[in-house]
Amino acid sequence: MDRPTPLLTPSLSILTLVPLCFVRYESLVRLYPGEECGVFAVCGHPNAVTLSTYGLYALQHRGEESAGIAASDGKHPFRIHRGMGLVSQVFDSAALASLSGSMAIGHVRYSTTGSSNLMNAQPIAVVCSQGELALAHNGDIVNASELRARLENRGSIFQTTTDSEVILHLMAQRVGKPVEEAFLWALDQTEGAYALVLMAKDKILAARDPQGFRPLSLGRLDDGYILSSETCAFDLLHVQFLRDIAPGEVISIDGDGVHVLRAPRPIETAAFCIFEYVYFARPDSTIHGINVSQARIQMGRELARLYPVEADLVIPVPDSGNYAALGFSEESGIPFNFAFVRNHYIGRTFLQPTQLIRDFNVRIKLNLVQESVRGKRVVVVDDSIVRGTTARARVANLREAGASEVHIRVSCPPHRFACHYGIDFPDPGSLLANQLTLERIQSYLNADSIGYLNIDGLLRACGSPESSMGFCTACFTGRYPVAFRRGLHKEILERNQLTPLAAK
Ligand code: AMP
């Protein structure tokens, strides 16, 4: 976003200035939504900090930019440690020694462009009229800029430029009310996507937005309760899975157990992000009773039925295409093999802003076993094509290695629309399928054929209609379950932090 133009000009009278301050205000702060994140919480376990650290390791794929844990022993002020980088970089032994207690919440965060700074790392902790609170959020609050403008115009002082912080400020306004009521009141004004864990003095609260865009599961370990964005973290810690927090459900956990503060919405009205199944969630997680790897295998099977092809070999783009390629191979009878070898020490390439660096990164990330593909008709399966950089480089690799034919199969429909609920896609202008027809995509990628899974096949693979779960498919269809303001993007509210309100 461009730097805001100064509002004060000599020709403006003070009377015209006052309303203008409010009108322009929203565009003067650049807000970084929650984006792709993972949340974790432990309530009532003596090893809450260690468990949270390991939990965050298991959720690392949901956010590589920063990590943090807030812990409480119920007697002393909350102890918090947050840092930039991977969980392993943020939590050294000194950091872990500084945290203690039987309650803890944790967060891993990912954002793509713009400033990536400690200020926006979570959990966000405050001392307010509700006492001490710490919050961790996954998702995007679509009306955060309006809420923030309203709150700041009444004097609220924000400490971050994330959308998540508005929830704490709203809660702080409920002076003298129980924390549960303040939480529900804040959520009533919050629109969009949120899976939240909130630590108060002697309890942990958790919520999913009414559509249930982002996942959140509840488990049990010894006498304690665990909340996690994904169940893969439960497996690691031998946590017994109890259930998913349902869309619209709000709970609290204290010494007496789990209390439902707000009942779930009917599952049919939910809009769970289908891209969690396609790409984002880990394959060893189970969401709403459907294991992610199994859903991906079904996507591959559907794809093989929809776009069959005569070929000698099915290969995945690892790791994202592994399970769909397996399903494609099983359904088609074409042998499966790994031909791309992944370098695990390179981060996700879509973090990189320039085309040059992106091209370099897609090549350094995967190398090809040339002997496996030479002279063969190859089907290469990936989960999605976003900008097309990865797929184009893969086809070039395969041709250089002597593959006689290269057929691309993608286990979701073409990405044409932005996500406003927590997955970072580039602006629609950079989405390949938004720019080119299918035919032109095929020739741009230099493939012999291309096939994308359709919406019906994708929904079937994710258990619909049997599970009666509703899904958000906005990035493919442009049908947005929750209205958002046009022009909303992840840096909508960056403000010069030094500019006082009165001077704007
Ligand atoms: P590209 O088409 O080169 O932009 O990258 C597509 C690859 O990035 C796919 O193989 C996906 O696995 C992966 N990907 C998944 N989600 C995202 C995302 N939100 N932004 C960018 N790339 C993603």
Side-chain angles (χ1 to χ4, degrees):
M1 194 185 193
D2 294 331
R3 190 147 268 225
T5 44
L7 283 171
L8 279 171
T9 65
S11 58
L12 287 174
S13 78
I14 194 73
L15 283 176
T16 52
L17 243 178
V18 173
L20 267 178
C21 288
F22 290 89
V23 172
R24 281 289 297 171
Y25 179 71
E26 282 174 34
S27 60
L28 295 172
V29 182
R30 183 171 297 176
L31 192 86
Y32 294 91
E35 290 167 3
E36 301 173 1
C37 301
V39 300
F40 194 84
V42 179
C43 189
H45 197 285
N47 300 329
V49 173
T50 312
L51 292 170
S52 298
T53 313
Y54 285 120
L56 293 184
Y57 272 106
L59 299 178
Q60 186 73 83
H61 62 290
R62 298 185 73 87
E64 299 173 355
E65 177 194 301
S66 66
I69 293 176
S72 170
D73 60 9
K75 293 187 216 96
H76 299 98
F78 290 178
R79 297 204 172 96
I80 298 144
H81 183 78
R82 301 175 306 173
M84 301 306 297
L86 301 173
V87 179
S88 58
Q89 296 163 330
V90 172
F91 290 99
D92 57 16
S93 50
L96 288 171
S98 72
L99 301 168
S100 63
S102 61
M103 288 203 307
I105 64 168
H107 189 263
V108 283
R109 176 170 188 262
Y110 161 72
S111 90
T112 47
T113 43
S115 74
S116 144
N117 55 39
L118 192 54
M119 171 182 75
N120 286 338
Q122 296 192 20
I124 308 170
V126 293
V127 183
C128 66
S129 64
Q130 290 291 332
E132 273 194 293
L133 298 176
L135 179 78
H137 169 216
N138 172 209
D140 284 357
I141 297 170
V142 296
N143 65 337
S145 56
E146 291 87 341
L147 290 171
R148 180 167 175 144
R150 215 174 72 200
L151 288 158
E152 283 196 316
N153 286 329
R154 286 191 209 140
S156 288
I157 299 168
F158 279 75
Q159 51 174 304
T160 74
T161 50
T162 69
D163 58 345
S164 321
E165 197 183 344
V166 293
I167 293 171
L168 294 171
H169 285 266
L170 289 168
M171 289 183 72
Q173 304 217 321
R174 304 302 283 167
V175 182
K177 302 284 184 201
V179 69
E180 292 87 346
E181 196 190 312
F183 192 46
L184 292 173
W185 187 81
L187 296 181
D188 282 340
Q189 295 166 75
T190 305
E191 293 164 19
Y194 50 83
L196 294 167
V197 292
L198 178 111
M199 186 165 73
K201 185 174 180 299
D202 52 3
K203 61 192 68 171
I204 283 183
L205 310 184
R208 271 178 92 188
D209 63 75
Q211 286 69 34
F213 284 108
R214 301 281 144 230
L216 188 63
S217 300
L218 176 69
R220 179 110 218 212
L221 182 68
D222 306 324
D223 293 332
Y225 289 92
I226 318 285
L227 289 153
S228 175
S229 288
E230 289 185 41
T231 61
C232 61
F234 290 172
D235 298 346
L236 174 74
L237 302 169
H238 299 290
V239 171
Q240 180 201 356
F241 170 80
L242 293 179
R243 63 185 183 83
D244 293 308
I245 304 301
E249 186 176 10
V250 185
I251 64 161
S252 78
I253 309 173
D254 58 20
D256 298 327
V258 178
H259 314 275
V260 176
L261 304 179
R262 176 167 287 164
R265 294 282 187 92
I267 201 87
E268 309 83 65
T269 64
F272 180 68
C273 168
I274 205 157
F275 199 62
E276 292 268 356
Y277 282 114
V278 173
Y279 168 77
F280 198 49
R282 245 171 64 160
D284 47 342
S285 289
T286 293
I287 310 170
H288 303 137
I290 308 262
N291 170 259
V292 174
S293 74
Q294 295 303 311
R296 288 180 190 165
I297 289 172
Q298 289 309 319
M299 290 170 207
R301 285 183 170 274
E302 293 276 354
L303 196 51
R305 286 195 286 270
L306 197 60
Y307 289 104
V309 59
E310 295 264 319
D312 306 308
L313 185 65
V314 177
I315 61 168
V317 176
D319 296 324
S320 53
N322 286 356
Y323 291 94
L326 200 59
F328 194 100
S329 164
E330 284 173 5
E331 185 67 25
S332 63
I334 304 169
F336 171 96
N337 202 352
F338 287 102
F340 288 110
V341 179
R342 189 179 189 86
N343 180 337
H344 288 274
Y345 302 95
I346 304 292
R348 293 201 286 181
T349 58
F350 60 101
L351 294 169
Q352 306 301 330
T354 70
Q355 192 62 29
L356 185 71
I357 295 171
R358 204 174 289 123
D359 282 342
F360 169 75
N361 272 349
V362 289
R363 282 175 176 271
I364 197 170
K365 199 164 158 180
L366 294 176
N367 194 24
L368 195 56
V369 182
Q370 304 195 9
E371 292 71 14
S372 303
V373 297
R374 191 168 298 135
K376 295 209 172 116
R377 298 168 298 171
V378 177
V379 184
V380 53
V381 181
D382 202 358
D383 69 290
S384 55
I385 294 178
V386 181
R387 294 183 183 85
T389 321
T390 312
R392 198 163 187 232
R394 297 293 74 94
V395 178
N397 293 155
L398 287 163
R399 298 239 184 251
E400 278 161 23
S404 60
E405 290 175 23
V406 181
H407 303 274
I408 296 180
R409 296 294 179 269
V410 186
S411 64
C412 69
H415 273 99
R416 295 209 171 94
F417 302 92
C419 174
H420 296 288
Y421 313 124
I423 298 281
D424 184 64
F425 292 126
D427 78 88
S430 311
L431 294 171
L432 189 67
N434 197 21
Q435 300 303 306
L436 304 179
T437 60
L438 210 55
E439 247 174 25
R440 294 198 53 206
I441 292 175
Q442 181 180 320
S443 71
Y444 172 77
L445 300 178
N446 192 21
D448 292 287
S449 76
I450 186 161
Y452 286 89
L453 185 56
N454 59 17
I455 283 284
D456 289 346
L458 179 59
L459 288 168
R460 269 195 304 275
C462 298
S464 186
E466 284 78 17
S467 74
S468 65
M469 180 78 202
F471 289 100
C472 175
T473 58
C475 56
F476 310 124
T477 58
R479 286 196 293 273
Y480 290 93
V482 173
F484 61 92
R485 226 160 25 100
R486 294 270 150 215
L488 183 70
H489 62 93
K490 62 179 164 288
E491 296 170 5
I492 192 158
L493 285 178
E494 178 90 334
R495 172 165 55 105
N496 179 344
Q497 300 293 313
L498 300 175
T499 311
L501 191 62
K504 278 181 250 151

